[in-house]
Amino acid sequence: MTRKSWTHEGVCWVAGRKRTLPETIEVTDPADGRVIGCVPRGGVELAREAVDTASEAFPAWSRRLPRERGQVLKDWANRILDHRAELAKLLSQEQGKPVAEALGEVETAAEFVEWYGEEAKRISGEVLPPAKENQQMTVLRQPVGVAALITPWNYPAAMVTRKAAPALAAGCTVVLKPAKETPLIASALFELLMETNLPHGAANLVTGDAASIGDTWLGDYRVRKISFTGSTGVGKELMKKAAEHVKRVSLELGGNAPALVFEDADLDRAADAIVANKFENGGQMCNGINLIFVQEPVREELTERILARVKALRVGRGTETECHVGPLINQRACHKVQALVDDAVNKGARLRYGGEPLLEGEYSNGHFYRPTVLTEVDDRMDLTRDEVFGPVAPILTFRIEEEAVRRANGTPYGLAAYLFTRDGGRIHRLTEGLEAGMVGVNGTSLSFPQAPFGGIKESGLGREGGLYGLEEFLELKFISTMLD
Ligand SMILES: NC(=O)c1ccc[n+]([C@@H]2O[C@H](COP(=O)([O-])OP(=O)(O)OC[C@H]3O[C@@H](n4cnc5c(N)ncnc54)[C@H](O)[C@@H]3O)[C@@H](O)[C@H]2O)c1
Ligand SMILES: N[C@@H](CC=O)C(=O)O
């Protein structure tokens, strides 16, 4: 294995070849605002060429033996793992998350590829019981066609593979656009994919102007599927545009995840899990806890436990080994978090820790926000409705179970919900009653290759992960044959 040291000049990949353009987009390090690299500013032309090549590659790739498609993916997974340390460093530099977290994300990214590499050879159809004599009924599963994949900046490695791996396993060919904030890790992952035995044109990466690229793909009838992860607002716009050619749509959108902590819960366990989830990736996580609902009698006990853990978090540059919370992605994110904290405090919330950006010394040019704990939060405050997407733990109280469920469900979002209790009956009632695509009970980990990740209501459509994620890239075809 040759050790790679990716330059910070990312490239597009179209028809299996590196593409650069005279016009570029700068990539900055959120820890200090420095320009660390650039990628081509692609637009309509390159986006269209990517679809041309993906359409041309589709017949050959979709007819490759499933086990051969699987081998390509397993090779890709191994290449990612072989280079995990360099990839994690690159990811941490452009996105800001601590390098240990970045390493975890790169390994998760490889796990998705490996899992779908295994699953490619198990895609099969069904034979149904006939309705008439001499009839044979079969159902085929066939790849949808060219799939357009659009990914966000917060998990810029795992979101690329969680889409591309099932699409390629299914036999689809893909065109992918990463977020402008984090294109370098996508470019590096594609470089490793291009080193496998994948036919030229089966996977294409275009960086650049989001709206031009997105509109080109959505307006092209040859693109049969759009899979998007990002904000609910952009997701709704893409869904409207996808209607023109009735494309299949998968949307992984924003969330407003509640964590409900009951008085019978193991409070140390709850505090550990809540802080780990809430401050992962600086709070920039779609399934991150947005609201902590604690039952009145244990309010202070839980708050003290959360405060002790939050005070121990070290904020710093992601590439430092001793850092737990990195910078936010940009200045706009810091301002949004501050506005939500100010609104809460102005309406009566009590600031127990943090509540301000870090601006001095090593933090002076970055987008750092101090981990924050607010208590006495109530439903009039904006942060109970808006996704905070930052390192802020708002604590609310409730008296009885019905009230907690009603308030937790009182949002247009429905991605994840968390529950801490030892009561089996309550676990049963609430896992059914909470309006979310995923529920964590006495723990907060939800992303696994075999499990369906995704939301209901305005948090999305469809699922990623497991066989559910594969189905998103497969069409059913029913065949009725009358035999002689
Ligand atoms: N549900 C999930 O699985 C999941 C996972 C990660 C992130 N998210 C959500 O993503 C959001 C954060 O990500 P973001 O800020 O990058 O979201 P975003 O919607 O701003 O951008 C997401 C992607 O869409 C692209 N985009 C933006 N406008 C576009 C347009 N007009 N046409 C085509 N593409 C366009 C962006 O360039 C980026 O690649 C949060 O709301 C978070 O909850 C959801
Ligand atoms: N935490 C999620 C990504 C959402 O932002 C994941 O790991 O899939």
Side-chain angles (χ1 to χ4, degrees):
M1 176 191 80
T2 30
R3 209 179 141 74
K4 285 187 193 290
S5 164
W6 277 281
T7 68
H8 287 176
E9 280 181 33
V11 292
C12 292
W13 293 93
V14 176
R17 286 190 294 123
K18 272 186 193 178
R19 294 298 178 86
T20 54
L21 291 171
E23 269 201 76
T24 56
I25 298 180
E26 289 178 344
V27 181
T28 55
D29 179 343
D32 57 17
R34 243 177 352 111
V35 174
I36 54 164
C38 62
V39 287
R41 186 185 288 278
V44 174
E45 214 173 299
L46 202 57
R48 192 172 298 133
E49 195 186 330
V51 179
D52 292 344
T53 182
S55 309
E56 280 158 27
F58 178 70
W61 179 245
S62 57
R63 279 193 227 111
R64 274 255 189 122
L65 285 176
R67 74 159 183 277
E68 289 175 10
R69 292 203 299 265
Q71 272 156 4
V72 167
L73 289 174
K74 285 191 252 175
D75 185 11
W76 189 23
N78 287 335
R79 286 171 194 274
I80 296 172
L81 289 175
D82 285 347
H83 296 97
R84 67 185 98 182
E86 304 101 288
L87 290 168
K89 190 168 164 220
L90 183 67
L91 168 47
S92 173
Q93 278 173 343
E94 69 173 344
Q95 200 274 345
K97 68 180 65 181
V99 79
E101 273 186 33
L103 187 61
E105 184 183 340
V106 168
E107 287 172 352
T108 300
E111 245 190 296
F112 278 106
V113 181
E114 198 227 344
W115 200 88
Y116 283 111
E118 284 293 322
E119 226 37 58
K121 61 182 181 239
R122 300 197 183 97
I123 299 169
S124 50
E126 280 112 36
V127 177
L128 303 182
K132 299 178 184 180
E133 278 185 24
N134 297 328
Q135 185 189 30
Q136 191 180 61
M137 285 192 187
T138 49
V139 179
L140 301 186
R141 281 197 171 73
Q142 294 183 307
V144 171
V146 176
L149 317 175
I150 300 183
T151 55
W153 50 263
N154 63 341
Y155 285 82
M159 298 303 104
V160 165
T161 63
R162 200 161 79 179
K163 291 185 190 304
L168 292 169
C172 294
T173 53
V174 305
V175 291
L176 186 143
K177 193 203 80 60
K180 69 175 186 315
E181 295 83 355
T182 53
L184 298 177
I185 186 73
S187 177
L189 289 170
F190 262 65
E191 181 174 330
L192 295 173
L193 176 57
M194 295 304 131
E195 290 170 2
T196 68
N197 198 15
L198 185 81
H200 289 171
N204 305 275
L205 173 80
V206 182
T207 57
D209 181 60
S212 318
I213 298 167
D215 286 354
T216 305
W217 290 349
L218 285 157
D220 192 320
Y221 73 94
R222 295 171 299 172
V223 174
R224 293 309 317 146
K225 163 91 195 179
I226 167 96
S227 175
F228 168 79
T229 296
S231 59
T232 296
V234 173
K236 286 180 183 178
E237 286 306 309
L238 299 185
M239 193 174 171
K240 282 186 208 155
K241 291 176 185 169
E244 190 187 345
H245 295 293
V246 195
K247 293 189 200 311
R248 297 257 314 250
V249 178
S250 299
L251 302 172
E252 298 285 346
L253 308 176
N256 184 9
L260 276 47
V261 184
F262 287 86
E263 59 183 324
D264 65 345
D266 175 336
L267 296 182
D268 282 314
R269 185 176 180 178
D272 282 342
I274 288 170
V275 172
N277 167 295
K278 178 65 258 182
F279 295 91
E280 180 177 334
N281 202 13
Q284 305 168 111
M285 181 163 85
C286 55
N287 57 309
I289 295 166
N290 210 43
L291 301 172
I292 303 161
F293 289 96
V294 54
Q295 202 161 18
E296 278 284 3
V298 291
R299 179 190 62 190
E300 266 320 296
E301 283 169 75
L302 182 75
T303 302
E304 288 306 329
R305 284 169 167 79
I306 289 178
L307 272 169
R309 286 160 177 78
V310 171
K311 286 178 184 171
L313 295 174
R314 154 126 181 87
V315 181
R317 178 184 281 281
T319 43
E320 283 171 21
T321 31
E322 269 315 299
C323 131
H324 305 110
V325 178
L328 295 183
I329 192 71
N330 54 34
Q331 206 53 45
R332 197 156 49 91
C334 277
H335 289 151
K336 180 186 170 192
V337 171
Q338 189 65 61
L340 288 170
V341 169
D342 289 346
D343 171 78
V345 171
N346 290 336
K347 290 177 180 161
R350 189 167 153 216
L351 183 61
R352 301 286 286 265
Y353 189 68
E356 59 187 2
L358 286 153
L359 301 169
E360 307 286 317
E362 60 179 309
Y363 303 116
S364 55
N365 294 316
H367 315 305
F368 294 95
Y369 199 85
R370 198 185 289 283
T372 296
V373 178
L374 291 165
T375 57
E376 286 145 70
V377 171
D378 68 46
D379 300 350
R380 295 167 305 135
M381 299 169 188
D382 290 346
L383 53 59
T384 61
R385 288 177 295 278
D386 291 355
E387 198 181 21
V388 178
F389 237 52
V392 178
I395 301 179
L396 303 85
T397 57
F398 67 92
R399 279 168 293 113
I400 55 168
E401 183 182 307
E402 291 73 14
E403 177 201 348
V405 175
R406 178 178 50 76
R407 288 169 68 196
N409 287 343
T411 158
Y413 293 109
L415 185 60
Y418 305 93
L419 169 64
F420 294 88
T421 179
R422 291 185 170 107
D423 179 334
R426 178 179 286 138
I427 292 174
H428 184 73
R429 284 190 300 280
L430 267 60
T431 47
E432 287 201 354
L434 285 166
E435 293 171 1
M438 301 172 286
V439 182
V441 182
N442 295 325
T444 52
S445 301
L446 291 175
S447 181
F448 305 98
Q450 66 272 43
F453 192 100
I456 61 171
K457 295 157 79 177
E458 294 191 18
S459 286
L461 281 181
R463 294 293 182 271
E464 288 185 343
L467 295 177
Y468 320 91
L470 201 53
E471 293 289 347
E472 302 282 324
F473 294 98
L474 292 165
E475 290 282 13
L476 295 181
K477 183 181 281 173
F478 168 58
I479 303 163
S480 167
T481 307
M482 297 311 298
L483 306 166
D484 289 337

